[in-house]
Amino acid sequence: MKKLFLLIALFGSLSSISFTQKNCPVIPTPVTYVTPNLDSESALPGIPLSLGVDTTNLPKNLYNQLSYLLDINHQMRVFVTKENPMIQFKKLKNAIEDSYTLSVTKTILISYSSERSCFYALQSLMQLIENKNNEPTITKCYISDYPNFKWRGLHLDVARHFFTVEEVKRYIDLMALYKFNTFHWHLTDDQGWRIEIKKYPKLTEIGAWRDSTVENHYTTSPRTYEKKRYGGFYTQEEIKEVVKYAAERYITIVPEIEMPGHARAALAAYPELSCTGKQQGVEGLWGVFDDIFCAKEESIQFLQAILSEVITLFPSQFVHIGGDEAPKNRWKKCEKCQRIIQEKKLKDEHELQSYFVQRMDKFLVANGKKLIGWDEILEGGLSPNAAVMSWRGFEGGAEAAKQGHEVVMSPGSHCYFDHYQGRGKAEPLAFGGYTSLEKVYDFNPIPKDMKPEQAAYILGGQANLWTEYIADFQKVEYMVYPRAIALSQVLWCQNKPNFETFENNLINYHLPLLEKRKVNYSKTFLAASTQVTRTNEGIAVQINSKRNEEFKVKKTPENFVNNLKANSSIAINRSQKPQEDAIEFTSGETQITEKIIIKNSPTLGLPVKLITLPNQRYNNGDLTLVDGNYGALPWKGNEWLGYDTSEIIIEIDLLKPQKIKGLELSFLKDEGSWIHLPTSITVSKSEGKKSKTIFGNKTNSQVSFIESNQFVPFSRKVSKLRITIHSKTIIDPGLAGEGHQPWTFIDEIRIVK
Ligand code: ACM
Ligand code: ZN
């Protein structure tokens, strides 16, 4: 009822004007957005380039922000006036937390519950201004709005690569456009310590600099290094400056000081705090390293002294202590660590980590702060006051919520912006994985089956940007935008519009806004994709695009060149000898060129029966095995079938009796991700008749992630093949995922004639 009165007051009598909920240009989409139905009433044309503002009820910082936002995004000016002001403000009492209303009639009225929400209203106002015929206009409307989640975060790793104060400020400024409120600053890791600590100057004198950096993807064999000194750090004065800059944009900075793992930069400066005391340099390779902080009292005191300085710099309630990926090998062999396990009657090294985290928890609580850590802090028992940031899926977060702890959901599946955002070959090098714009938009920090009383512990969500493969700020922007815009919808909206509506808004309003701000956003989501289907003679490659565009298509070896409409397809027939067929297509709209290479063979498109089904997360269909498209490295997720069983049975129908020499099968090895090579393969003409081949050990022990092609001789005349792949049932001790069933990833099977 209240809302109705307000609308009448704003737009005049209800009998003359009606209202509809239309698509709103503002992102994140406000809870309510209505516009008057009469076309003649709808636009407020020709709003002046210089706007009078009545600042009576406007917090002081916000006049500067309003002025900044209108200037930087629209080249408009503001001036203070009480006479016929264009913009007025009103402070609301007893309104929903962080809520605001914004009404655009002949003038603009903003009502807000908090300074923060007044700032959100200014961001919305800025996004309502459109440039039509070189004139700023605003559609008359009424907005009522407030956020769904409390924690709307973006993270930035400044350890793997360092970003300047100015770049970090820009990161924060762009976050503010989309109403993010938490910046998680990952300040320390194996490859660099980036925050000045007065008590321990060597942390930055030594720990902020590395002598070399691995080149290409770290799984490339052989590895090569750029032998150049690399690093940097923020002085405490610079940290204060960034904290203030963020606070002016109502963004809280949560600092992360990693412990007990990812500590090689700190240990390069203070090796006596490791279990072995061995002097090692700041790490130049990416990964997880055995040397971590020893759990002894000296390390705990050292880290608490660091936290003492950190908490004076960051007003944030939360302090992130990392806690992820801490191998326990050193602790297992360390007298001091083992003595603590005995003295404190701990069960194992996981409980020792829990003890370590509890010491930090107590310390932070005593200093009026709260601890948050990655979901590994659940192992060995969660510390009483700790909050959990769930990155290895939703399970850790769900468990923490069940135990009554606060949770931020940041699962790799939806929130890792260091993953590829497209599967095309044109994508720049990334860590691996595949997290498309649509996938991010699909994210919900509250799992479907979660009970409401547990969902109450979910503070919100966050995307993480690890920067192993992001050496400059241009690429930071490329990886974050537009995915962060999709995430802002997830975290703010009560009921977000469907993806198509969002995408249209993104294309029509927000990409131009990003262009005005010179953001190097990715256009990948606009790129065409390919879809392979089976034909009687092989396969067909369809070029899909959401837009009705034409493509210039080249195919070799035939040297076929043509213009084709979106959604048309090109057939590739099975070849009796191995050959490469390449299709290159250039979008008429985006000018993005993509090339797909099909390794053609007598197997292309043959019928395949997956007698054992892959895990549903990694089941892209049986055609995956014979589509000629080999699994990409680094892995982007779709080209492989992933199994978590120790026996896999697959049948291939050769359609008619054929004489063959054998089979070639291709597997992925990425032991860090629990993906192992199989132990043996059995091939037979049909069930029962067997021919066994044991794997040779061809793998390079220095490389953890390779593609392995295995040839299985099977010289027969056959019309059907039954392939049985055997894997270990558990991962060996000392390896990641020990005791669990290893994964087997297979991408392609080829007959060799
Ligand atoms: C993480 O990605 N290791 C938290
Ligand atoms: Zn130790």
Side-chain angles (χ1 to χ4, degrees):
M1 237 356 233
K2 231 184 201 160
K3 206 188 279 171
L4 193 62
F5 280 129
L6 193 54
L7 287 172
I8 297 168
L10 292 170
F11 291 105
S13 92
L14 205 60
S15 59
S16 63
I17 303 173
S18 56
F19 304 91
T20 43
Q21 179 105 30
K22 278 203 198 141
N23 292 336
C24 176
V26 175
I27 290 182
T29 307
V31 176
T32 306
Y33 170 83
V34 287
T35 52
N37 269 345
L38 285 180
D39 278 345
S40 60
E41 287 283 334
S42 66
L44 196 59
I47 56 171
L49 281 170
S50 192
L51 300 178
V53 182
D54 180 353
T55 54
T56 313
N57 293 312
L58 180 65
K60 191 163 172 290
N61 166 48
L62 290 175
Y63 183 74
N64 297 336
Q65 285 298 326
L66 174 63
S67 162
Y68 171 75
L69 285 173
L70 292 183
D71 180 23
I72 193 160
N73 296 301
H74 297 295
Q75 296 74 52
M76 292 169 77
R77 301 274 176 274
V78 286
F79 62 92
V80 179
T81 181
K82 281 202 173 18
E83 275 176 39
N84 300 323
M86 188 70 190
I87 310 179
Q88 285 173 291
F89 295 88
K90 191 174 158 205
K91 175 93 166 65
L92 296 171
K93 286 199 186 101
N94 306 322
I96 298 173
E97 191 180 351
D98 288 344
S99 65
Y100 70 91
T101 67
L102 197 167
S103 64
V104 181
T105 54
K106 288 193 173 61
T107 58
I108 295 158
L109 175 66
I110 287 170
S111 306
Y112 60 91
S113 67
S114 61
E115 251 187 57
R116 181 196 306 277
S117 66
C118 186
F119 179 67
Y120 295 151
L122 300 184
Q123 294 287 359
S124 295
L125 172 63
M126 183 280 289
Q127 292 188 11
L128 285 172
I129 299 172
E130 290 176 84
N131 217 331
K132 288 199 176 135
N133 307 321
N134 274 334
E135 221 179 45
T137 60
I138 308 188
T139 299
K140 286 186 185 176
C141 65
Y142 169 78
I143 285 175
S144 161
D145 201 14
Y146 53 92
N148 193 17
F149 286 104
K150 276 199 173 90
W151 186 301
R152 302 183 302 280
L154 284 185
H155 150 290
L156 180 66
D157 164 14
V158 296
R160 274 54 178 266
H161 283 99
F162 179 69
F163 299 96
T164 64
V165 166
E166 285 316 305
E167 288 166 339
V168 173
K169 283 183 177 173
R170 177 163 164 96
Y171 195 78
I172 290 167
D173 198 32
L174 293 174
M175 282 175 68
L177 274 182
Y178 293 100
K179 303 189 176 86
F180 285 96
N181 68 353
T182 307
F183 172 51
H184 174 166
W185 205 356
H186 184 78
L187 287 162
T188 73
D189 215 299
D190 298 302
Q191 298 81 5
W193 184 280
R194 307 278 176 235
I195 174 172
E196 178 191 25
I197 301 295
K198 305 267 193 209
K199 188 166 180 190
Y200 303 114
K202 285 195 289 185
L203 282 172
T204 44
E205 283 165 17
I206 295 171
W209 306 94
R210 60 179 183 252
D211 293 330
S212 70
T213 302
V214 67
E215 294 169 313
N216 309 311
H217 199 268
Y218 82 115
T219 56
T220 307
S221 174
R223 284 192 184 120
T224 59
Y225 288 82
E226 186 184 23
K227 297 260 180 345
K228 206 165 108 186
R229 191 169 151 83
Y230 180 93
F233 66 92
Y234 310 103
T235 64
Q236 293 202 351
E237 285 312 303
E238 286 173 327
I239 298 265
K240 284 181 203 160
E241 183 186 327
V242 175
V243 167
K244 177 168 177 281
Y245 185 88
E248 285 164 2
R249 285 153 183 78
Y250 302 88
I251 289 174
T252 301
I253 304 187
V254 175
E256 181 181 353
I257 305 296
E258 269 270 18
M259 63 187 84
H262 288 291
R264 285 280 307 279
L267 297 177
Y270 297 95
E272 64 274 21
L273 296 174
S274 69
C275 290
T276 65
K278 186 175 149 198
Q279 175 70 64
Q280 296 182 89
V282 176
E283 187 53 63
L285 174 64
W286 320 128
V288 172
F289 302 94
D290 279 347
D291 286 293
I292 66 175
F293 282 110
C294 178
K296 63 189 172 190
E297 190 60 27
E298 292 92 315
S299 308
I300 290 174
Q301 297 295 330
F302 173 84
L303 286 162
Q304 289 182 347
I306 289 170
L307 291 179
S308 292
E309 292 192 32
V310 168
I311 60 182
T312 61
L313 296 168
F314 294 93
S316 160
Q317 186 187 25
F318 283 100
V319 173
H320 203 301
I321 56 91
D324 61 319
E325 299 179 322
K328 306 296 185 296
N329 306 344
R330 296 287 185 261
W331 285 7
K332 280 185 183 155
K333 293 197 180 123
C334 171
E335 261 178 40
K336 289 185 175 158
C337 288
Q338 292 303 318
R339 200 176 312 133
I340 303 170
I341 289 180
Q342 278 182 358
E343 278 172 17
K344 306 286 174 196
K345 300 194 169 43
L346 305 173
K347 200 168 87 208
D348 57 14
E349 291 73 23
H350 293 300
E351 288 200 355
L352 181 57
Q353 174 154 337
S354 173
Y355 161 80
F356 189 94
V357 172
Q358 282 183 40
R359 293 288 304 272
M360 299 303 153
D361 183 4
K362 275 198 196 117
F363 176 81
L364 288 171
V365 168
N367 284 279
K369 299 283 183 182
K370 274 190 181 176
L371 179 149
I372 186 165
W374 301 110
D375 57 63
E376 283 93 331
I377 66 171
L378 278 152
E379 295 162 5
L382 193 49
S383 189
N385 313 293
V388 167
M389 191 170 269
S390 192
W391 72 281
R392 297 177 300 175
F394 293 86
E395 295 79 6
E399 178 56 34
K402 216 184 256 176
Q403 296 180 24
H405 291 254
E406 289 175 315
V407 170
V408 176
M409 286 291 191
S410 188
S413 54
H414 297 76
C415 294
Y416 268 44
F417 288 179
D418 59 336
H419 290 178
Y420 286 98
Q421 53 198 309
R423 286 171 164 151
K425 304 258 184 302
E427 281 304 312
L429 184 66
F431 180 80
Y434 173 61
T435 305
S436 65
L437 185 69
E438 208 161 347
K439 181 92 185 180
V440 177
Y441 203 73
D442 246 7
F443 174 46
N444 185 350
I446 298 178
K448 271 200 187 72
D449 53 358
M450 188 176 267
K451 296 196 176 89
E453 60 272 27
Q454 288 160 16
Y457 289 104
I458 310 294
L459 298 176
Q462 174 178 297
N464 299 328
L465 193 70
W466 304 102
T467 58
E468 287 95 332
Y469 303 101
I470 305 176
D472 61 60
F473 198 73
Q474 286 283 304
K475 195 162 172 190
V476 167
E477 293 187 347
Y478 180 88
M479 298 306 277
V480 174
Y481 291 91
R483 287 188 286 193
I485 303 179
L487 182 66
S488 78
Q489 289 280 88
V490 168
L491 299 177
W492 181 279
C493 301
Q494 312 283 323
N495 284 305
K496 61 180 191 277
N498 65 26
F499 183 73
E500 283 65 37
T501 306
F502 161 72
E503 199 180 42
N504 283 334
N505 187 5
L506 183 64
I507 292 168
N508 295 330
Y509 189 86
H510 289 269
L511 297 188
L513 179 65
L514 296 183
E515 260 153 47
K516 265 196 225 168
R517 298 295 302 273
K518 298 194 168 43
V519 177
N520 183 41
Y521 66 88
S522 164
K523 296 189 178 74
T524 299
F525 79 101
L526 297 169
S529 61
T530 53
Q531 189 185 357
V532 176
T533 50
R534 200 179 246 121
T535 65
N536 287 339
E537 285 81 35
I539 60 165
V541 178
Q542 183 168 315
I543 296 158
N544 294 330
S545 169
K546 288 180 185 163
R547 289 169 307 281
N548 194 13
E549 59 178 324
E550 274 216 340
F551 292 87
K552 182 169 178 191
V553 178
K554 279 198 224 173
K555 180 173 180 312
T556 50
E558 294 89 343
N559 290 324
F560 159 95
V561 180
N562 211 337
N563 285 330
L564 290 183
K565 284 218 150 39
N567 309 324
S568 45
S569 56
I570 297 166
I572 303 181
N573 293 347
R574 269 187 290 284
S575 65
Q576 286 314 300
K577 293 231 162 67
Q579 85 173 36
E580 267 190 16
D581 289 55
I583 303 173
E584 194 178 290
F585 55 100
T586 306
S587 151
E589 259 186 32
T590 63
Q591 297 301 309
I592 296 175
T593 297
E594 283 292 348
K595 186 172 179 176
I596 73 163
I597 294 181
I598 302 294
K599 290 190 181 166
N600 202 337
S601 75
T603 329
L604 193 72
L606 285 178
V608 173
K609 205 168 179 186
L610 302 176
I611 294 179
T612 315
L613 284 179
N615 181 292
Q616 59 176 8
R617 268 159 74 194
Y618 305 111
N619 184 1
N620 300 290
D622 62 273
L623 182 57
T624 311
L625 294 179
V626 291
D627 65 359
N629 195 8
Y630 272 62
L633 293 175
W635 176 42
K636 291 180 196 168
N638 65 331
E639 309 92 337
W640 305 85
L641 297 188
Y643 284 90
D644 52 357
T645 53
S646 59
E647 185 187 73
I648 302 162
I649 303 174
I650 295 166
E651 270 184 13
I652 300 187
D653 186 349
L654 276 60
L655 299 174
K656 58 178 193 284
Q658 300 189 39
K659 202 164 170 337
I660 66 167
K661 283 190 189 139
L663 282 177
E664 199 179 81
L665 296 94
S666 169
F667 296 96
L668 179 69
K669 183 185 178 203
D670 181 5
E671 292 187 349
S673 305
W674 310 10
I675 303 170
H676 290 243
L677 293 180
T679 48
S680 68
I681 302 169
T682 307
V683 181
S684 61
K685 273 185 167 186
S686 60
E687 217 176 330
K689 295 183 183 172
K690 287 187 182 173
S691 159
K692 195 162 187 171
T693 299
I694 309 289
F695 266 143
N697 186 11
K698 282 199 247 165
T699 57
N700 175 347
S701 62
Q702 291 203 325
V703 180
S704 61
F705 179 96
I706 57 160
E707 187 184 0
S708 171
N709 283 308
Q710 297 295 335
F711 177 69
V712 184
F714 191 71
S715 192
R716 310 278 147 98
K717 192 165 187 183
V718 287
S719 56
K720 213 174 228 176
L721 286 167
R722 185 181 174 94
I723 304 159
T724 309
I725 299 160
H726 302 277
S727 305
K728 286 197 171 169
T729 50
I730 54 167
I731 297 174
D732 290 341
L735 298 176
E738 67 173 82
H740 290 267
Q741 166 74 51
W743 287 91
T744 306
F745 272 57
I746 176 166
D747 72 333
E748 199 70 15
I749 302 178
R750 285 221 277 189
I751 296 165
V752 181
K753 279 195 157 174

